[in-house]
Amino acid sequence: MSTPAPAAPLGVPFAARLAAHGERPALIHGDAVLTYAELARRVETRRGELGAGRRLVAIEGSDHPETVISHLAVLAGGHVGWLLPSVADSAELLERFAPDTLVRAAGDGVAIGRRHEEPVHDLHPELALLMGTSGSTGAPRLVRLSHENLQSNAESIGAYLGLRPGERAITTLPMHYCYGLSVLHSHLAAGACVVLNGHSVVEPAFWELVRAHRVTGFAGVPHTFGLLERAGFADMHLPSLRYLTQAGGRMEPARVRRLAELGARRGWELVVMYGQTEATARMAYLPPSLASAHPDSIGVAIPGGELTLRQADDHPDPEVGELVYRGPNVMLGYAETAGDLAGGRTVRELATGDLARRTPEGLFVIAGRRSRFIKPFGLRVDLARVEAMLAAEGVEAVCAGDDTRLAVAVTGGACPAATGMLLADRLGLPNRAIEVRHHESIPRLVNGKPDYRAVAGAGREETVGRTGAPGLLARAGARLHASRPRDVAALYAAALGRDVVGPGDTFTRLGGDSLTYVDVSLGLEGILGDLPDGWPDMPVGELQARAGAGAGSGHRAWTTRMETGVVLRAAAILLVLATHMTDVIPPGGAHLLLALAGWNFARFMLSQEGTGAHLRRALGVVARIAVPAAAWIGAVMLVAGGYGITTLLLVNDYLGDPSFSDGRWHYWFIEALVQILLVAGLLMAVPAVRRAERARPFGFALALLAPALVLRFDLLTIGDPTRYIFRPHTVVWLFLLGWAAQRATDTRRRALVSALCLVSVPGFFGEPLREGIILAGLLAAIWLPAVRVPRPAAPALGAVAAASLAIYLTHWQVWPALPASWPVPVLMLACVVAGIVAWAATERVTRLIARGVTLAQGGSRGSARRRAGRAAQAAAGR
């Protein structure tokens, strides 16, 4: 006689007992506050709207209250929920699982579509929720979570975070991501409040919500905390904040320690966590008191759970084993088809696939991934080691594959053909077993981790080695003749020379720098209106959504916000022109530009993760300055003479005549900038130096500034002291002051850099007015992130700032060639126009050359790669 199946449960307890919390606030959205009593009533109403019988209900995730109400109605009513990132992105899975009901937020309400009047699925009584997960290869599958899974994990998280009814969390992650959903569940289970938010953490509106609603905590993935550091989080006054939580991948220990120490000073705690969707979100947490001392650890098992290590015979370190988790939050199992929804528990413990070791203090530290191995042609390949090997060669890459092939995604300036040749040679694999594809940015999941499935399969990436040059040249030619871009992706593609720009890409990730920043910001201003703070780190999709939401329509204010640095660049180059054309305008513009160059170096050149990327980007910027400068100077020498070889080679500051007799010192600023950028790029390419900078960004900048100030105050004299205000080693302190100012992310640090400016600038030139101009510009850059300017003037200021180097380069020839009787403003305008024209032409030629070099590399290395492939095949045969 068979045992009858258990009856369908009444629902997940915390969702079914919302009314027990009475009139406490449950959800806040905009100005609306939804109490638990009202939420319970609306959930009960929604239960009836979902349809009769126990149904599979798919819900498109969003930060809308109706989405939360629908989700809770499913859990409270005993249905089976399924949270989707979007209907459009889930078409294949929707066809495979055929939900009975589909729910989507629509305006201020909700759209409920019943695909079946009567439920068509056999649903296991314990099944409560389906969540998407990410495997490295193969078809996507869903995680089957039970009522007990959801309730136990919500209670466990609430226990170790100490959640109380007075807590208020703000959403920073999507509901269809298990980490974001766990924030909602744990707070509702504790009777706490959740502020539903649609803003990025780099936007002022987000922090206005935090302050207005007295938010006590929020969650983030590693990328979130990188944005926070660049957004000046350390300087924010947030008296209600009690804790931050971090999960979604490993965060650098140096950043963990910095945040923990910041929290100790500011009165909040950092809780580092570890989890997987298969464990309903959380498996481990690091007690906040241990974060500074053990920043590389995931901590201990959550309350009610157990972590153990299973021997890994194939690992050389006997203390390292596979991390295994047991607890009431371990999933029922996976679902690959609708028929799997009737199945019961198939998983009792969760083998995480992560390798870990246990410290003497009883904490766990992740040591790598066990499952990231493939065996094509019988050769065992550790994908993590392949990625590390490529990183050591300066190639940013992510690897996936199976036992038939190795799939590699590369980005930046990496050449797929050359990378494939290198891998075939190093790994001994046949050429046909390696597929290298070029992506505009590494595919990533919503939690910031690499999307190995996208890497293994065919996506939007461009396979340079397979499609060949004609397609790329055609696209490049079309782009050069296209009209002004009208959407964010097209703008980025045109300005940054990219073939494909995805919705998750950012200006910084795509390789944007100080030379392209102004151009892109002007284009964005035309698309969006006022630019949001932190836009270089905001995804293209988010920026485009702002445009689609109505930016640029309706009445627009007569002023617009521009970053102070952009306005200062424009003002500085105009000051240079006025200084050279008159005897009454004081100098100082060029030295202010040098300080702004240091600011931009720290902001853009140090934003990439690999040392190879730092060197490539620095050399690229140097080339974009030095090559046009040498070409212009060479052309002037051929036509009119007047300069020597040291000026042409941009080394007159050290090897040329110290006198100003023939104008050879006209280009001292470009010489100094090129030489300083070159040294800085080489320095940051040293791995140990880069690690030190990442561990203590502000302290590192001060450490560089200290010896530079020794030279500034003549405590040590190097070389010929004449023309000291123009030589790189005696003016580099201005560049480093700008660097330090950009790394000053709180009031205390800004005050320290301001004090250094007040001490170092006066007396250097012996001209108080010049020193006052430079000092005022530096202090404005430190304390004023943006200024408002008349909207009609913004494009002109931006164009002048973007073309500032070209204006400096060409004005020495343009101005003397014009009639001396012209008024100075007219002469300045002529020089500005000539410089902008030269800048635009140089940018176009530079992009064409860069594209040609990339294609030439791919073609020239093809035969060598084929030879390496034949050698690898022979090696594999042995």
Side-chain angles (χ1 to χ4, degrees):
M1 182 175 178
S2 61
T3 303
L10 295 177
V12 178
F14 74 78
R17 301 171 185 166
L18 296 171
H21 299 294
E23 296 302 317
R24 291 175 183 154
L27 300 176
I28 296 176
H29 185 251
D31 296 328
V33 178
L34 201 62
T35 67
Y36 273 93
E38 177 61 22
L39 178 60
R41 286 191 289 271
R42 294 181 66 174
V43 166
E44 184 62 28
T45 301
R46 184 61 43 81
R47 284 175 60 176
E49 296 171 346
L50 293 176
R54 189 163 183 250
R55 310 175 72 87
L56 175 60
V57 182
I59 303 174
E60 187 174 57
S62 72
D63 54 20
H64 198 283
E66 295 295 341
T67 301
V68 178
I69 291 168
S70 300
H71 171 65
L72 294 173
V74 170
L75 299 187
H79 298 290
V80 175
W82 175 20
L83 289 169
L84 308 172
S86 73
V87 171
D89 293 336
S90 309
E92 190 270 334
L93 281 172
L94 284 169
E95 182 178 355
R96 193 195 311 172
F97 285 90
D100 301 306
T101 303
L102 179 61
V103 180
R104 308 173 74 176
D108 293 331
V110 65
I112 301 176
R114 296 192 187 96
R115 296 187 165 195
H116 311 117
E117 285 303 317
E118 297 294 329
V120 299
H121 295 289
D122 184 7
L123 304 173
H124 191 274
E126 296 180 33
L127 184 60
L129 184 66
L130 302 176
M131 293 288 289
T133 186
S134 56
S136 59
T137 58
R141 53 188 178 176
L142 302 178
V143 170
R144 296 184 292 119
L145 300 175
S146 71
H147 301 83
E148 182 188 23
N149 291 160
L150 299 179
Q151 183 70 24
S152 66
N153 208 225
E155 292 177 350
S156 180
I157 294 170
Y160 70 73
L161 289 181
L163 296 183
R164 302 178 297 271
E167 303 286 348
R168 289 191 175 185
I170 187 168
T171 58
T172 54
L173 303 165
M175 274 184 61
H176 65 266
Y177 173 34
C178 67
Y179 185 14
L181 188 63
S182 72
V183 174
L184 178 71
H185 286 181
S186 59
H187 282 75
L188 294 181
C193 180
V194 178
V195 179
L196 301 178
N197 155 67
H199 300 285
S200 167
V201 296
V202 300
E203 298 179 62
F206 176 86
W207 300 106
E208 291 171 7
L209 287 175
V210 170
R211 296 184 183 96
H213 298 300
R214 302 184 303 280
V215 166
T216 59
F218 64 88
V221 297
H223 179 63
T224 306
F225 292 98
L227 295 179
L228 287 178
E229 287 191 345
R230 291 196 285 272
F233 173 69
D235 197 29
M236 294 181 185
H237 180 59
L238 305 168
S240 64
L241 194 61
R242 187 176 71 82
Y243 69 90
L244 310 180
T245 64
Q246 181 270 318
R250 180 181 182 272
M251 190 157 70
E252 298 170 0
R255 178 168 286 161
V256 172
R257 182 179 285 113
R258 285 200 303 273
L259 285 167
E261 293 172 352
L262 175 64
R265 296 194 301 269
R266 293 303 181 90
W268 49 261
E269 295 179 324
L270 174 69
V271 185
V272 175
M273 308 188 300
Y274 167 83
Q276 294 179 357
T277 310
E278 290 84 347
T280 325
R282 302 277 74 78
M283 290 183 283
Y285 76 103
L286 180 64
S289 60
L290 303 178
S292 293
H294 302 276
D296 59 341
S297 173
I298 62 169
V300 297
I302 64 173
E306 178 189 8
L307 287 171
T308 58
L309 295 178
R310 180 178 295 162
Q311 184 176 357
D313 296 329
D314 54 353
H315 197 279
D317 187 346
E319 295 186 357
V320 171
E322 183 176 12
L323 192 64
V324 177
Y325 176 79
R326 300 178 185 88
N329 52 316
V330 172
M331 66 175 179
L332 298 175
Y334 292 110
E336 296 187 6
T337 67
D340 295 332
L341 304 183
R345 179 171 292 279
T346 60
V347 178
R348 300 290 175 182
E349 62 180 22
L350 184 60
T352 65
D354 285 322
L355 297 173
R357 58 182 175 83
R358 194 197 316 258
T359 70
E361 296 82 6
L363 305 176
F364 290 88
V365 177
I366 301 298
R369 285 288 293 171
R370 182 172 189 175
S371 58
R372 299 205 61 221
F373 294 94
I374 58 174
K375 290 188 70 175
F377 291 84
L379 299 176
R380 191 170 184 272
V381 177
D382 181 337
L383 298 179
R385 288 182 177 271
V386 174
E387 291 171 356
M389 178 191 74
L390 291 175
E393 298 292 335
V395 178
E396 183 183 0
V398 167
C399 301
D402 51 33
D403 289 349
T404 64
R405 69 187 179 98
L406 168 65
V408 182
V410 298
T411 189
C415 174
T419 303
M421 179 183 68
L422 173 68
L423 292 173
D425 181 55
R426 296 279 184 90
L427 302 178
L429 284 173
N431 188 40
R432 66 180 183 275
I434 301 174
E435 290 185 8
V436 183
R437 296 175 182 265
H438 190 279
H439 294 239
E440 293 307 316
S441 62
I442 296 298
R444 296 190 183 276
L445 302 168
V446 67
N447 60 8
K449 296 179 181 179
D451 186 348
Y452 294 112
R453 185 181 294 118
V455 173
R460 63 180 180 269
E461 65 273 24
E462 182 61 50
T463 312
V464 177
R466 294 174 183 263
T467 59
L472 292 176
L473 288 175
R475 282 192 296 276
R479 189 165 54 247
L480 287 173
H481 294 91
S483 60
R484 182 183 180 86
R486 288 170 291 180
D487 63 74
V488 179
L491 171 68
Y492 279 28
L496 302 177
R498 298 288 184 170
D499 289 303
V500 179
V501 175
D505 291 328
T506 67
F507 175 81
T508 303
R509 188 183 300 170
L510 290 172
D513 53 38
S514 60
L515 299 179
T516 52
Y517 173 81
V518 179
D519 190 22
V520 172
S521 67
L522 286 176
L524 276 181
E525 199 272 342
I527 296 171
L528 304 180
D530 277 356
L531 295 182
D533 289 336
W535 68 263
D537 296 307
M538 294 175 65
V540 166
E542 185 173 338
L543 292 171
Q544 190 61 50
R546 290 168 173 268
S553 63
H555 176 70
R556 302 174 75 184
W558 74 276
T559 63
T560 187
R561 295 172 74 252
M562 290 190 74
E563 285 200 11
T564 303
V566 175
V567 177
L568 287 175
R569 279 173 64 177
I573 191 60
L574 293 177
L575 180 61
V576 168
L577 297 182
T579 299
H580 292 166
M581 295 179 187
T582 71
D583 295 326
V584 297
I585 304 298
H591 288 85
L592 179 56
L593 283 173
L594 194 61
L596 295 174
W599 177 291
N600 287 318
F601 181 87
R603 182 178 187 182
F604 296 112
M605 293 298 101
L606 302 183
S607 62
Q608 296 295 305
E609 294 298 322
T611 55
H614 288 93
L615 183 57
R616 286 196 305 274
R617 294 186 73 189
L619 292 178
V621 171
V622 168
R624 290 175 63 190
I625 299 171
V627 172
W632 177 264
I633 294 169
V636 172
M637 290 173 63
L638 289 174
V639 173
Y643 297 125
I645 189 65
T646 55
T647 306
L648 177 67
L649 298 178
L650 302 180
V651 292
N652 183 76
D653 46 8
Y654 286 119
L655 302 180
D657 188 338
S659 71
F660 269 163
S661 57
D662 58 0
R664 296 187 183 191
W665 282 79
H666 282 171
Y667 297 110
W668 74 266
F669 168 71
I670 292 179
E671 293 176 1
L673 181 60
V674 165
Q675 292 166 29
I676 291 171
L677 286 174
L678 185 60
V679 172
L682 292 172
L683 177 66
M684 298 312 299
V686 179
V689 173
R690 182 61 183 136
R691 286 194 296 271
E693 193 278 335
R694 293 177 70 178
R696 293 286 188 273
F698 183 66
F700 183 87
L702 293 183
L704 291 182
L705 180 58
L709 289 177
V710 168
L711 297 174
R712 176 261 176 265
F713 285 106
D714 296 327
L715 300 179
L716 176 66
T717 301
I718 299 177
D720 187 348
T722 59
R723 305 295 176 194
Y724 69 96
I725 64 171
F726 302 134
R727 297 185 189 276
H729 70 279
T730 49
V731 296
V732 70
W733 62 275
L734 281 164
F735 180 92
L736 294 173
L737 265 180
W739 182 336
Q742 201 281 328
R743 290 312 203 205
T745 55
D746 57 39
T747 301
R748 179 176 59 86
R749 289 171 176 157
R750 291 190 186 109
L752 176 56
V753 177
S754 299
L756 290 172
C757 293
L758 291 168
V759 169
S760 58
V761 175
F764 181 69
F765 301 94
E767 301 173 49
L769 197 51
R770 171 190 277 197
E771 292 161 356
I773 289 172
I774 297 171
L775 189 57
L778 281 168
L779 294 177
I782 292 170
W783 294 102
L784 295 175
V787 295
R788 298 204 72 87
V789 301
R791 189 175 292 275
L797 285 172
V800 173
S804 56
L805 283 171
I807 294 170
Y808 186 97
L809 182 68
T810 58
H811 85 281
W812 289 111
Q813 285 72 47
V814 174
W815 153 50
L818 299 175
S821 59
W822 283 12
V824 170
V826 175
L827 293 173
M828 291 176 61
L829 179 62
C831 290
V832 167
V833 171
I836 291 175
V837 170
W839 163 71
T842 300
E843 287 295 292
R844 176 167 293 188
V845 172
T846 299
R847 289 171 192 159
L848 283 175
I849 291 175
R851 178 68 63 198
V853 169
T854 300
L855 297 173
Q857 287 177 339
S860 65
R861 293 173 181 174
S863 60
R865 183 184 176 188
R866 288 191 290 272
R867 289 195 298 272
R870 288 193 292 269
Q873 290 180 27
R878 290 194 295 272

